Structures are given as structure tokens and as C-alpha cells.
Amino acid sequence: MDRPLLVVDAANVVGMVPDGWWRRRAEATELLRDALEPLADTGMAGCDLPAELAWLAGPALEVVLVVEGAAAGIGGSPSVRVVPARGSGDDAIVNLVAEEGGGRRTAVATGDRALQSRVARLGASVVPPAALPVRARLPGDRASRNRRG
């Protein structure tokens, strides 16, 4: 049986850390990709999941990060496949769920309500972005320097 599929809406999730990501989208998206790495081996064990998503805590996951715009050029990693959207990121996510989600458990991490509805119609579950591992802050972030002092 295929591993469960977790598709992450990078454009929606990357902003969970308020560190000036909008000025450095590609770098912030790379940090998100790196934070997702462990999920491929361990699943989302230890993450704050609603009960109906407990199946994500178990075995390894296939993790796919859909990127767009300024982040479209980042590469994948050994455990996270990166898919650049050719147009709309939401459309790319819906197409990915339709093509690869059939016959296995699939979840999409996004806070975008319209996208949530579209993937739910295809049978995918929705993961709240806050349940994902938090990415590292961008190096040189003024907010993190202010907290240290």
C-alpha cells in the first residue's frame, strides 16, 4: 500500500513565521521544506493533530511541497518533493491530489478555505497549517534579534 500523501501549500503555510518572509520568499520556503523533512520518516507524530487526522501520526508520509512565484525555483530534498506550479498554486495542488491521491489517504496543509473545499471534494483531508512543524526563522531577522536583547 502507498504511503499517505501530505501536500503542503507553501504559499499559504510559509507565512506562519512572522520574520519578513515576504521579502525573502524562496529562502523562507527552503526553511519550510527543511522543517518538513522528518515527516517523511516519522509521520506527524507529536504534532497537534485533530483526532480525525490521527492517521497522519503513523507511518512515514510522502511529503510534497507545492511552490509558486518567487519560490518556484527551489529544489527538493531527499525527503520532500517540491512541485513548482506552472500557474495557480491552488490549481497545481488540486491537480496533484486528483492525479496522485486516488486510492490512498491524502491530506492537504493549507489555511485557504476555497482550496480546502476543492480538495475535500476530491476526498482529501485538510491539515491546519499550525499542525505542521514550525520552520526556522530567516537568518538576520530583526524580530528575533530584538527578542534576544
Side-chain angles (χ1 to χ4, degrees):
M1 183 168 171
D2 290 332
R3 293 182 293 165
L5 176 64
L6 174 64
V7 180
V8 179
D9 178 0
N12 185 265
V13 174
V14 76
M16 296 292 295
V17 179
D19 59 357
W21 60 267
W22 54 92
R23 290 185 300 269
R24 296 160 58 190
R25 289 176 196 264
E27 189 177 355
T29 303
E30 287 175 334
L31 291 170
L32 174 60
R33 178 204 57 210
D34 296 347
L36 298 171
E37 279 273 327
L39 303 183
D41 292 327
T42 64
M44 293 183 69
C47 295
D48 189 19
L49 290 170
E52 66 272 12
L53 296 176
W55 56 270
L56 286 165
L61 301 172
E62 179 180 355
V63 181
V64 180
L65 183 64
V66 176
V67 298
E68 61 185 298
I74 74 162
S77 67
S79 299
V80 177
R81 179 168 44 122
V82 172
V83 173
R86 289 193 173 100
S88 157
D90 290 3
D91 290 347
I93 291 168
V94 170
N95 291 338
L96 184 72
V97 169
E99 292 169 10
E100 297 185 27
R104 65 174 163 164
R105 289 188 157 181
T106 301
V108 175
T110 186
D112 180 319
R113 290 185 185 179
L115 179 57
Q116 290 173 355
S117 294
R118 291 175 70 190
V119 298
R121 284 193 296 271
L122 295 171
S125 299
V126 174
V127 175
L132 294 173
V134 177
R135 70 169 172 82
R137 296 187 80 83
L138 288 166
D141 168 38
R142 273 186 252 155
S144 57
R145 283 196 306 265
N146 290 339
R147 268 188 254 108
R148 280 189 249 143

